[in-house]
């Protein structure tokens, strides 16, 4: 479908049209704005402007970590708790845009710890939804559900329609990941009703597309085509080019699953230039791999291996688990068709091993991240208490100052005495603030030391986890089932906790018995306790 010279042409087109390239004027403007802000007095307004500037820089795909780091430093100096929460939330978003989901979770959790001490419920809801997205990207569905439902509960309390639809959509997407498509449809259709009621055209596009995708995975192809095509019509009518490519990608997948490979390829062809222009590597790699799969069915083997390889390499670059698995499975098909059975077997082993290992690794990093955030939260609480004490001190100083001014009017002698007392009071107040600032710096140093210790502990705990279970080859899901078995839970109780069917639990247990070389639960529990 795409020869080498065609790919080069697309790359050149991307370079000449994408905002990243030729962006010197915008970068200079951001740098000059940052320089002007930096010399201004440290205030809450300054922090808010720095966060806003960082948001614009990230959107323009310009490296600007110094901006948000400056906002954090100033927020700590002036005890601006909301500023700290907003700053870490923004850092979490930037990490997610760069496919660094573990760091994204760490930053969002740090942000949530601060935002819980503020009255900004909407910002807290955004942070909760962001955590749901990042956990879903790591295929940690249970954690994603937890934060999405917290966001939904708060959104409904304050009746914020936009936040409600974001949380509902996130929940629906998690059900897609767990292959519970009827539940996904329930939440997507709820969102669609909100969008229709609020006349939200963009929301309607997204909801229609999500509903169509759920029907696609259910193999209800006529319904899937109806909703996806309806979304595409809205997208074209309102010229939302960024979303148009995603609709074409879904239609390509739909006709691929129906066995209409020429038609599928034509839809994928429409998507490729748009994904390239937007630098959407995740969708572009998915599209190229699927084009290669179509070409295998059409007997175009040379073109197929070229597109599959390009798509797979792109997926590896951004560490997209789904696309990497898709790519290696496509290679299995290619090598099987071309009768290179050894490479087909090697590709199958890589696909399977990679799929299991990335889930286990993500789970371990999540556990470690949670521990780090729990420990640093204690130090953050001390910073927040200092901020509260500082505010009380300022209010107290202001009140006493006003009282002294009133008393000074009683007489000249009183004025002289009060001025002298005021001078002493100010010295003491400055000393108190200086002591608190010094104490704050000490706490910050302790936080840095704690993070270093947590990093070392991460390495030790990761090695310990790998040592304990590497010889048995248990997956993350199997380890979780084994833990519930050791707690004495029945199959029904385990299936409810893990949001899966009873048959799935039975399959996991069968695999566990096989890998541990045991025949029943008692033997399995005895064996893991010997580890």
């Amino acid at each position: 479908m795409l020869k080498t010279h065609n790919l080069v042409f697309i790359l050149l087109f991307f370079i000449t049209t994408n905002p990243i390239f030729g962006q010197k004027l915008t970068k200079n403007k951001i740098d000059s704005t940052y320089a002007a802000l930096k010399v201004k007095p440290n205030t809450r307004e300054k922090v808010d402007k720095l966060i806003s500037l960082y948001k614009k820089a990230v959107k323009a795909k310009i490296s600007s970590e110094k901006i948000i780091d400056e906002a954090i430093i100033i927020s700590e100096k002036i005890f601006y708790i909301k500023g700290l929460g907003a700053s870490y939330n923004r850092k979490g978003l930037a990490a997610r845009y760069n496919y660094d989901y573990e760091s994204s979770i760490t930053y969002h959790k740090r942000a949530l710890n601060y935002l819980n001490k503020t009255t900004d419920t909407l910002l807290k809801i955004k942070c909760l939804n962001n955590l749901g997205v990042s956990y879903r990207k790591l295929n940690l569905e249970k954690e994603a559900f937890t934060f999405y439902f917290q966001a939904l509960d708060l959104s409904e309390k304050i009746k914020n329609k936009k936040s409600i639809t974001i949380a509902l959509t996130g929940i629906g997407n998690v059900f897609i990941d767990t292959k519970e498509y009827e539940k996904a449809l329930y939440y997507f259709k709820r969102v669609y009703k909100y969008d229709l009621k609020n006349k939200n055209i963009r929301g309607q596009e997204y909801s229609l597309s999500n509903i169509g995708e759920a029907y696609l995975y259910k193999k209800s192809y006529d319904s899937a085509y109806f909703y996806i095509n309806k979304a595409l019509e809205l997208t074209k009518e309102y010229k939302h080019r960024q979303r148009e490519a995603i609709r074409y990608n879904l239609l390509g997948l739909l006709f691929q699953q129906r066995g209409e490979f020429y038609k599928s390829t034509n839809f994928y062809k429409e998507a490729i230039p748009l994904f390239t222009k937007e630098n959407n590597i995740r969708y572009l790699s998915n599209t190229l791999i699927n084009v290669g799969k179509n070409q295998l069915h059409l007997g175009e083997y040379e073109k197929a291996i070229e597109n599959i390889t390009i798509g797979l390499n792109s997926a590896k670059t951004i560490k997209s688990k789904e696309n990497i698995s898709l790519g290696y499975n496509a290679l299995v098909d290619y090598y099987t068709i071309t009768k290179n059975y050894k490479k087909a077997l090697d590709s199958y082993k890589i696909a399977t091993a990679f799929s299991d290992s990335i889930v286990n690794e993500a789970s371990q990093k999540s556990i470690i991240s949670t521990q780090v955030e729990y420990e640093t939260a204690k130090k953050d609480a001390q910073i927040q208490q200092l901020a509260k004490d500082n505010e009380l001190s300022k209010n107290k100083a202001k009140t006493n100052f006003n009282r002294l001014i009133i008393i000074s009017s009683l007489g000249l002698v009183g004025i002289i005495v009060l001025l002298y007392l005021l001078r002493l009071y100010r010295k003491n107040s400055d000393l108190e603030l200086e002591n608190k600032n010094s104490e704050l710096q000490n706490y910050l140093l302790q936080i840095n030391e704690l993070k270093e210790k947590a990093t070392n502990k991460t390495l030790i705990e990761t090695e310990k986890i790998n040592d304990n279970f590497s010889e048995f080859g248990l997956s993350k899901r199997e380890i979780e089932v084994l833990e519930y078995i050791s707690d004495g839970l029945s199959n029904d109780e385990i299936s409810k906790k893990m949001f899966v069917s009873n048959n799935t639990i039975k399959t996991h247990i069968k695999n566990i018995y096989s890998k541990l070389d045991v025949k029943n639960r008692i033997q399995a529990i005895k064996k893991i306790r010997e580890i």
Side-chain angles (χ1 to χ4, degrees), residues 36-99:
L37 278 172
K38 194 172 181 180
V39 297
K40 290 186 176 181
N42 293 338
T43 62
R44 295 186 175 189
E45 182 182 5
K46 177 180 176 180
V47 171
D48 292 339
K49 287 183 177 179
L50 284 169
I51 295 171
S52 177
L53 181 63
Y54 176 72
K55 179 181 177 181
K56 293 177 183 177
V58 170
K59 188 175 182 180
K61 299 180 181 179
I62 296 173
S63 178
S64 54
E65 289 306 302
K66 61 183 179 181
I67 298 175
I68 200 67
D69 289 339
E70 180 72 11
I72 291 172
I73 291 170
I74 295 172
S75 296
E76 289 174 344
K77 286 182 178 178
I78 65 174
F79 308 108
Y80 186 20
I81 300 301
K82 179 183 172 182
L84 284 166
S87 297
Y88 280 115
N89 192 45
R90 277 287 152 196
K91 282 180 76 73
L93 279 171
R96 193 177 87 211
Y97 295 155
N98 290 322
Y99 309 102

Side-chain angles (χ1 to χ4, degrees), residues 328-340:
Y328 276 113
N329 284 318
L331 286 178
V332 172
D333 294 338
Y334 170 77
Y335 289 126
T336 301
I337 291 172
T338 57
K339 298 182 179 180
N340 192 337

